[in-house]
CSV table of all heavy atoms in Angstrom, one decimal:
chain,number,residue,atom,x,y,z
I,1,GLN,N,0.8,-1.2,0.0
I,1,GLN,CA,0.0,0.0,0.0
I,1,GLN,C,0.8,1.3,0.0
I,1,GLN,O,0.3,2.4,0.1
I,1,GLN,CB,-0.9,0.0,1.2
I,1,GLN,CG,-2.2,-0.8,1.0
I,1,GLN,CD,-3.2,-0.4,2.1
I,1,GLN,OE1,-3.0,-0.5,3.3
I,1,GLN,NE2,-4.3,0.1,1.6
I,2,GLY,N,2.1,1.2,0.0
I,2,GLY,CA,3.0,2.4,-0.1
I,2,GLY,C,3.3,3.0,1.2
I,2,GLY,O,3.6,4.2,1.3
I,3,THR,N,3.3,2.1,2.3
I,3,THR,CA,3.8,2.6,3.6
I,3,THR,C,5.2,3.1,3.5
I,3,THR,O,5.6,4.0,4.2
I,3,THR,CB,3.6,1.6,4.7
I,3,THR,OG1,4.1,0.4,4.3
I,3,THR,CG2,2.1,1.4,5.1
I,4,LEU,N,6.0,2.3,2.8
I,4,LEU,CA,7.5,2.6,2.7
I,4,LEU,C,7.7,4.0,2.1
I,4,LEU,O,8.5,4.8,2.7
I,4,LEU,CB,8.1,1.6,1.8
I,4,LEU,CG,9.6,1.5,1.9
I,4,LEU,CD1,9.9,0.8,3.2
I,4,LEU,CD2,10.2,0.6,0.8
I,5,LEU,N,7.1,4.3,1.0
I,5,LEU,CA,7.2,5.7,0.4
I,5,LEU,C,6.8,6.7,1.3
I,5,LEU,O,7.4,7.8,1.5
I,5,LEU,CB,6.4,5.7,-1.0
I,5,LEU,CG,6.5,7.1,-1.7
I,5,LEU,CD1,7.9,7.4,-2.2
I,5,LEU,CD2,5.5,7.2,-2.8
I,6,THR,N,5.6,6.5,2.0
I,6,THR,CA,5.1,7.5,2.9
I,6,THR,C,6.1,7.8,4.0
I,6,THR,O,6.3,8.9,4.4
I,6,THR,CB,3.7,7.0,3.5
I,6,THR,OG1,2.9,6.6,2.4
I,6,THR,CG2,3.0,8.1,4.2
I,7,SER,N,6.7,6.7,4.6
I,7,SER,CA,7.6,6.9,5.7
I,7,SER,C,8.9,7.6,5.2
I,7,SER,O,9.5,8.4,5.9
I,7,SER,CB,8.0,5.6,6.4
I,7,SER,OG,8.6,4.7,5.5
I,8,ARG,N,9.3,7.3,3.9
I,8,ARG,CA,10.5,8.1,3.4
I,8,ARG,C,10.2,9.6,3.3
I,8,ARG,O,11.1,10.4,3.5
I,8,ARG,CB,10.8,7.5,2.0
I,8,ARG,CG,11.6,6.2,2.0
I,8,ARG,CD,12.4,6.0,0.7
I,8,ARG,NE,12.7,4.6,0.6
I,8,ARG,CZ,12.2,3.8,-0.3
I,8,ARG,NH1,11.4,4.2,-1.2
I,8,ARG,NH2,12.6,2.5,-0.3
I,9,ILE,N,9.0,9.9,2.8
I,9,ILE,CA,8.6,11.3,2.7
I,9,ILE,C,8.6,11.9,4.1
I,9,ILE,O,9.2,13.0,4.3
I,9,ILE,CB,7.2,11.5,2.0
I,9,ILE,CG1,7.3,11.1,0.6
I,9,ILE,CG2,6.8,13.0,2.1
I,9,ILE,CD1,6.0,10.9,-0.1
I,10,LEU,N,8.0,11.3,5.1
I,10,LEU,CA,8.0,11.8,6.5
I,10,LEU,C,9.4,11.9,7.0
I,10,LEU,O,9.8,12.9,7.7
I,10,LEU,CB,7.2,10.8,7.4
I,10,LEU,CG,5.7,11.2,7.5
I,10,LEU,CD1,5.0,10.1,8.2
I,10,LEU,CD2,5.6,12.5,8.3
I,11,GLY,N,10.2,10.9,6.8
I,11,GLY,CA,11.6,10.9,7.2
I,11,GLY,C,12.4,12.1,6.6
I,11,GLY,O,13.1,12.8,7.3
I,12,GLY,N,12.1,12.3,5.3
I,12,GLY,CA,12.8,13.4,4.6
I,12,GLY,C,12.4,14.8,5.1
I,12,GLY,O,13.3,15.6,5.3
I,13,ILE,N,11.1,15.0,5.4
I,13,ILE,CA,10.7,16.3,5.9
I,13,ILE,C,11.2,16.6,7.3
I,13,ILE,O,11.6,17.7,7.6
I,13,ILE,CB,9.2,16.5,5.8
I,13,ILE,CG1,8.9,18.0,5.8
I,13,ILE,CG2,8.4,15.7,6.8
I,13,ILE,CD1,7.5,18.4,5.3
I,14,THR,N,11.3,15.6,8.1
I,14,THR,CA,11.8,15.8,9.5
I,14,THR,C,13.3,16.1,9.5
I,14,THR,O,13.7,17.0,10.2
I,14,THR,CB,11.5,14.6,10.4
I,14,THR,OG1,11.9,13.4,9.8
I,14,THR,CG2,10.0,14.5,10.7
I,15,VAL,N,14.0,15.5,8.6
I,15,VAL,CA,15.4,15.8,8.5
I,15,VAL,C,15.6,17.2,7.9
I,15,VAL,O,16.4,18.0,8.4
I,15,VAL,CB,16.1,14.7,7.6
I,15,VAL,CG1,17.6,15.2,7.2
I,15,VAL,CG2,16.2,13.4,8.3
I,16,LYS,N,14.9,17.5,6.9
I,16,LYS,CA,15.0,18.8,6.3
I,16,LYS,C,14.7,19.9,7.3
I,16,LYS,O,15.3,21.0,7.3
I,16,LYS,CB,14.0,18.9,5.1
I,16,LYS,CG,14.3,20.1,4.1
I,16,LYS,CD,13.3,20.2,3.0
I,16,LYS,CE,13.8,19.5,1.8
I,16,LYS,NZ,14.7,20.2,0.9
I,17,ALA,N,13.8,19.6,8.2
I,17,ALA,CA,13.4,20.6,9.2
I,17,ALA,C,14.4,20.7,10.4
I,17,ALA,O,14.3,21.5,11.3
I,17,ALA,CB,12.0,20.3,9.8
I,18,GLY,N,15.4,19.8,10.3
I,18,GLY,CA,16.5,19.9,11.3
I,18,GLY,C,16.3,19.0,12.5
I,18,GLY,O,17.0,19.2,13.5
I,19,TYR,N,15.4,18.1,12.5
I,19,TYR,CA,15.2,17.3,13.7
I,19,TYR,C,16.0,16.0,13.6
I,19,TYR,O,16.4,15.5,12.6
I,19,TYR,CB,13.7,16.9,13.8
I,19,TYR,CG,12.7,18.0,14.0
I,19,TYR,CD1,11.8,18.3,13.1
I,19,TYR,CD2,12.8,18.8,15.2
I,19,TYR,CE1,10.9,19.4,13.3
I,19,TYR,CE2,12.0,19.8,15.4
I,19,TYR,CZ,11.0,20.2,14.5
I,19,TYR,OH,10.2,21.2,14.7
I,20,ASP,N,16.2,15.4,14.8
I,20,ASP,CA,16.7,14.1,14.9
I,20,ASP,C,15.5,13.2,14.6
I,20,ASP,O,14.4,13.4,15.2
I,20,ASP,CB,17.2,13.9,16.3
I,20,ASP,CG,17.9,12.5,16.5
I,20,ASP,OD1,18.4,12.0,15.5
I,20,ASP,OD2,17.9,12.0,17.6
I,21,VAL,N,15.7,12.2,13.8
I,21,VAL,CA,14.6,11.3,13.4
I,21,VAL,C,15.0,9.9,13.5
I,21,VAL,O,16.1,9.5,13.1
I,21,VAL,CB,14.0,11.7,12.0
I,21,VAL,CG1,15.0,11.6,10.9
I,21,VAL,CG2,12.8,10.9,11.7
I,22,LYS,N,14.1,9.0,13.9
I,22,LYS,CA,14.3,7.6,13.9
I,22,LYS,C,13.1,7.0,13.2
I,22,LYS,O,12.0,7.2,13.5
I,22,LYS,CB,14.4,7.0,15.3
I,22,LYS,CG,15.5,7.5,16.2
I,22,LYS,CD,16.8,6.7,15.9
I,22,LYS,CE,18.0,7.1,16.8
I,22,LYS,NZ,18.5,8.5,16.7
I,23,LEU,N,13.4,6.1,12.2
I,23,LEU,CA,12.4,5.4,11.5
I,23,LEU,C,12.6,3.9,11.8
I,23,LEU,O,13.7,3.4,11.9
I,23,LEU,CB,12.6,5.5,10.0
I,23,LEU,CG,12.3,6.8,9.3
I,23,LEU,CD1,12.8,6.8,7.8
I,23,LEU,CD2,10.8,7.2,9.4
I,24,SER,N,11.5,3.2,11.9
I,24,SER,CA,11.6,1.8,12.2
I,24,SER,C,10.4,1.1,11.5
I,24,SER,O,9.2,1.6,11.7
I,24,SER,CB,11.6,1.6,13.7
I,24,SER,OG,11.0,0.3,14.0
I,25,GLU,N,10.7,0.1,10.8
I,25,GLU,CA,9.6,-0.7,10.1
I,25,GLU,C,9.4,-2.0,10.7
I,25,GLU,O,10.4,-2.7,11.0
I,25,GLU,CB,9.9,-0.8,8.7
I,25,GLU,CG,9.9,0.5,8.0
I,25,GLU,CD,9.6,0.3,6.5
I,25,GLU,OE1,10.5,-0.2,5.8
I,25,GLU,OE2,8.5,0.6,6.1
I,26,VAL,N,8.2,-2.4,11.0
I,26,VAL,CA,7.8,-3.7,11.5
I,26,VAL,C,6.9,-4.4,10.5
I,26,VAL,O,5.8,-3.9,10.2
I,26,VAL,CB,7.1,-3.6,12.9
I,26,VAL,CG1,6.9,-5.0,13.4
I,26,VAL,CG2,8.0,-2.7,13.8
I,27,HIS,N,7.3,-5.5,9.9
I,27,HIS,CA,6.5,-6.2,9.0
I,27,HIS,C,5.9,-7.4,9.6
I,27,HIS,O,6.6,-8.2,10.2
I,27,HIS,CB,7.3,-6.7,7.8
I,27,HIS,CG,7.8,-5.6,7.0
I,27,HIS,ND1,7.1,-5.1,5.9
I,27,HIS,CD2,9.0,-4.9,7.0
I,27,HIS,CE1,7.8,-4.1,5.3
I,27,HIS,NE2,8.9,-4.0,6.0
I,28,GLY,N,4.5,-7.5,9.6
I,28,GLY,CA,3.9,-8.7,10.0
I,28,GLY,C,4.2,-9.8,9.0
I,28,GLY,O,4.9,-10.7,9.2
I,29,MET,N,3.7,-9.5,7.8
I,29,MET,CA,4.1,-10.3,6.6
I,29,MET,C,4.4,-9.4,5.5
I,29,MET,O,3.5,-8.6,5.2
I,29,MET,CB,3.0,-11.3,6.2
I,29,MET,CG,2.6,-12.3,7.3
I,29,MET,SD,1.3,-13.4,6.8
I,29,MET,CE,-0.1,-12.2,6.4
I,30,ALA,N,5.5,-9.4,4.9
I,30,ALA,CA,5.9,-8.4,3.9
I,30,ALA,C,5.1,-8.6,2.6
I,30,ALA,O,4.9,-7.7,1.8
I,30,ALA,CB,7.4,-8.5,3.6
I,31,GLN,N,4.6,-9.8,2.4
I,31,GLN,CA,3.8,-10.0,1.1
I,31,GLN,C,2.5,-9.2,1.2
I,31,GLN,O,2.1,-8.8,2.2
I,31,GLN,CB,3.5,-11.5,0.8
I,31,GLN,CG,2.4,-12.1,1.6
I,31,GLN,CD,2.9,-12.9,2.8
I,31,GLN,OE1,3.9,-12.5,3.4
I,31,GLN,NE2,2.3,-14.1,3.0
I,32,ARG,N,1.9,-9.0,0.0
I,32,ARG,CA,0.7,-8.2,0.0
I,32,ARG,C,-0.3,-8.8,0.8
I,32,ARG,O,-0.5,-10.1,0.8
I,32,ARG,CB,0.2,-8.1,-1.5
I,32,ARG,CG,1.1,-7.3,-2.3
I,32,ARG,CD,0.6,-7.1,-3.7
I,32,ARG,NE,1.6,-6.3,-4.4
I,32,ARG,CZ,1.5,-5.0,-4.5
I,32,ARG,NH1,0.5,-4.3,-3.9
I,32,ARG,NH2,2.4,-4.3,-5.2
I,33,GLY,N,-1.0,-8.0,1.6
I,33,GLY,CA,-2.0,-8.6,2.5
I,33,GLY,C,-1.6,-8.6,3.9
I,33,GLY,O,-2.4,-8.7,4.8
I,34,GLY,N,-0.3,-8.6,4.2
I,34,GLY,CA,0.2,-8.6,5.6
I,34,GLY,C,0.3,-7.2,6.2
I,34,GLY,O,0.4,-6.2,5.4
I,35,SER,N,0.2,-7.1,7.5
I,35,SER,CA,0.3,-5.9,8.2
I,35,SER,C,1.7,-5.3,8.1
I,35,SER,O,2.6,-6.0,8.4
I,35,SER,CB,-0.1,-6.2,9.7
I,35,SER,OG,-0.6,-5.0,10.2
I,36,VAL,N,1.8,-4.0,7.8
I,36,VAL,CA,3.0,-3.3,7.8
I,36,VAL,C,2.9,-2.0,8.7
I,36,VAL,O,2.0,-1.3,8.6
I,36,VAL,CB,3.4,-2.8,6.4
I,36,VAL,CG1,4.8,-2.1,6.4
I,36,VAL,CG2,3.5,-4.0,5.4
I,37,VAL,N,3.8,-1.9,9.7
I,37,VAL,CA,3.8,-0.8,10.6
I,37,VAL,C,5.1,0.0,10.5
I,37,VAL,O,6.2,-0.6,10.5
I,37,VAL,CB,3.6,-1.2,12.0
I,37,VAL,CG1,3.6,-0.1,13.0
I,37,VAL,CG2,2.4,-2.1,12.2
I,38,THR,N,5.0,1.3,10.4
I,38,THR,CA,6.2,2.1,10.4
I,38,THR,C,6.1,3.2,11.5
I,38,THR,O,5.0,3.8,11.6
I,38,THR,CB,6.4,2.9,9.0
I,38,THR,OG1,6.4,1.9,8.0
I,38,THR,CG2,7.7,3.6,9.0
I,39,TYR,N,7.1,3.3,12.3
I,39,TYR,CA,7.2,4.3,13.3
I,39,TYR,C,8.1,5.4,12.8
I,39,TYR,O,9.2,5.2,12.3
I,39,TYR,CB,7.8,3.8,14.6
I,39,TYR,CG,7.1,2.6,15.2
I,39,TYR,CD1,7.6,1.3,15.0
I,39,TYR,CD2,5.9,2.7,15.9
I,39,TYR,CE1,7.0,0.2,15.5
I,39,TYR,CE2,5.2,1.6,16.4
I,39,TYR,CZ,5.8,0.3,16.2
I,39,TYR,OH,5.2,-0.8,16.8
I,40,VAL,N,7.6,6.7,13.0
I,40,VAL,CA,8.5,7.8,12.7
I,40,VAL,C,8.5,8.7,13.9
I,40,VAL,O,7.4,9.2,14.3
I,40,VAL,CB,8.0,8.6,11.5
I,40,VAL,CG1,8.9,9.8,11.2
I,40,VAL,CG2,7.8,7.8,10.2
I,41,ARG,N,9.7,8.8,14.6
I,41,ARG,CA,9.8,9.7,15.8
I,41,ARG,C,10.8,10.8,15.5
I,41,ARG,O,11.9,10.5,15.0
I,41,ARG,CB,10.3,8.8,16.9
I,41,ARG,CG,9.4,7.6,17.2
I,41,ARG,CD,9.7,7.0,18.5
I,41,ARG,NE,9.3,7.8,19.6
I,41,ARG,CZ,10.1,8.0,20.7
I,41,ARG,NH1,11.2,7.4,20.9
I,41,ARG,NH2,9.6,8.8,21.7
I,42,TYR,N,10.4,12.0,15.8
I,42,TYR,CA,11.3,13.1,15.6
I,42,TYR,C,11.2,14.1,16.7
I,42,TYR,O,10.2,14.3,17.3
I,42,TYR,CB,11.0,13.8,14.2
I,42,TYR,CG,9.7,14.5,14.0
I,42,TYR,CD1,9.6,15.8,14.3
I,42,TYR,CD2,8.6,13.7,13.6
I,42,TYR,CE1,8.3,16.4,14.1
I,42,TYR,CE2,7.3,14.4,13.5
I,42,TYR,CZ,7.2,15.7,13.7
I,42,TYR,OH,6.0,16.3,13.6
I,43,GLY,N,12.3,14.8,16.9
I,43,GLY,CA,12.5,15.8,18.0
I,43,GLY,C,13.9,16.3,18.0
I,43,GLY,O,14.7,16.0,17.1
I,44,GLU,N,14.3,16.9,19.1
I,44,GLU,CA,15.6,17.4,19.2
I,44,GLU,C,16.6,16.3,19.4
I,44,GLU,O,17.7,16.3,18.7
I,44,GLU,CB,15.7,18.4,20.4
I,44,GLU,CG,15.3,19.8,20.0
I,44,GLU,CD,15.1,20.7,21.1
I,44,GLU,OE1,15.7,20.6,22.2
I,44,GLU,OE2,14.2,21.6,21.0
I,45,LYS,N,16.3,15.3,20.2
I,45,LYS,CA,17.1,14.1,20.3
I,45,LYS,C,16.2,12.9,20.5
I,45,LYS,O,15.5,12.8,21.5
I,45,LYS,CB,18.1,14.3,21.5
I,45,LYS,CG,19.2,13.2,21.6
I,45,LYS,CD,20.3,13.5,20.6
I,45,LYS,CE,21.3,12.3,20.5
I,45,LYS,NZ,20.9,11.4,19.3
I,46,VAL,N,16.2,12.0,19.6
I,46,VAL,CA,15.4,10.8,19.7
I,46,VAL,C,16.2,9.6,20.0
I,46,VAL,O,17.2,9.3,19.2
I,46,VAL,CB,14.6,10.6,18.4
I,46,VAL,CG1,13.7,9.4,18.5
I,46,VAL,CG2,13.8,11.8,18.1
I,47,ALA,N,16.0,8.9,21.1
I,47,ALA,CA,16.8,7.7,21.4
I,47,ALA,C,16.2,6.5,20.8
I,47,ALA,O,16.9,5.7,20.1
I,47,ALA,CB,16.8,7.6,23.0
I,48,GLU,N,14.9,6.2,21.0
I,48,GLU,CA,14.3,5.0,20.5
I,48,GLU,C,13.5,5.1,19.3
I,48,GLU,O,12.8,6.1,19.1
I,48,GLU,CB,13.3,4.6,21.6
I,48,GLU,CG,13.9,4.0,22.9
I,48,GLU,CD,14.3,2.6,22.7
I,48,GLU,OE1,13.5,1.7,22.4
I,48,GLU,OE2,15.5,2.3,22.8
């Protein structure tokens, strides 16, 4: 469904805005039909 592209755009904008950003992808099943979760965390300093 394009979660990957969406997270790349989000990651790109947070970096451009000067934030520390952490992206993490969790695949239930990578094939079509499986759940895909992406976390995007941004701020001054992101640990996790």
